[in-house]
Amino acid sequence: MARLRFTVEQRFADLDLLGHVNNVAYVTYLQEVRLKLLSRLLGERLLTMNHVVVRNEIDYLLPLSLRPEPLPVDTWIERIGRSSYVIGCEVIDPEGRVAAKATTVLVHLGSDGSAAPIPDEVRALLAEALEEPVA
């Protein structure tokens, strides 16, 4: 499966005073796409899985402005560790160029709230969207 493409709706509130998508709006886009990806991969397991975002990293490459069509975002699993996994995303502009690249690190938590190993069944489902790094 590897990369999946989802879309997000832009809102007028996403814009800054110059009419560009504000940097904070990208975090909302990433959250929406992350939930779509994990819902697709994990299904009902997502409702009982206890994980938290511990890092978001975004490289803003091109400015975006408001558009009526949904914004395409490609997403995939970059890495699966013992208790954490990394989701990669690329936000695509109307010309098909990458406007932003992002990674989000999530940590699986045990019942005591500390980092715990990702269950094997969840690991296998996440691996369906694992993208091999380009050498």
Side-chain angles (χ1 to χ4, degrees):
M1 188 183 301
R3 278 185 190 230
L4 294 169
R5 178 166 283 186
F6 296 102
T7 59
V8 294
E9 296 290 332
Q10 290 182 287
R11 296 160 291 275
F12 183 75
D14 295 345
L15 304 181
D16 62 17
L17 292 175
L18 299 174
H20 299 118
V21 173
N22 184 282
N23 62 304
V24 176
Y26 286 83
V27 177
T28 301
Y29 299 162
L30 296 178
Q31 176 179 290
E32 289 179 24
V33 170
R34 180 173 64 250
L35 289 174
K36 289 177 182 182
L37 172 69
L38 294 177
S39 291
R40 180 153 174 193
L41 293 175
L42 303 176
E44 293 293 318
R45 284 181 186 85
L46 180 60
L47 300 174
T48 59
M49 192 170 152
N50 190 8
H51 58 226
V52 294
V53 172
V54 296
R55 181 179 177 88
N56 272 318
E57 185 174 319
I58 306 171
D59 293 324
Y60 303 96
L61 306 173
L62 297 169
L64 287 173
S65 56
L66 189 64
R67 54 185 269 180
E69 306 85 25
L71 196 61
V73 181
D74 291 342
T75 188
W76 61 92
I77 303 293
E78 280 194 6
R79 184 183 65 76
I80 305 170
R82 185 183 80 75
S83 61
S84 67
Y85 58 101
V86 180
I87 297 176
C89 289
E90 290 181 349
V91 180
I92 311 299
D93 81 353
E95 287 78 38
R97 301 173 299 181
V98 176
K101 291 183 178 186
T103 56
T104 300
V105 179
L106 293 101
V107 171
H108 178 70
L109 301 177
S111 58
D112 65 353
S114 64
I118 298 170
D120 290 338
E121 63 197 31
V122 172
R123 179 182 302 282
L125 294 168
L126 292 172
E128 291 180 25
L130 188 63
E131 182 169 274
E132 295 297 322
V134 178

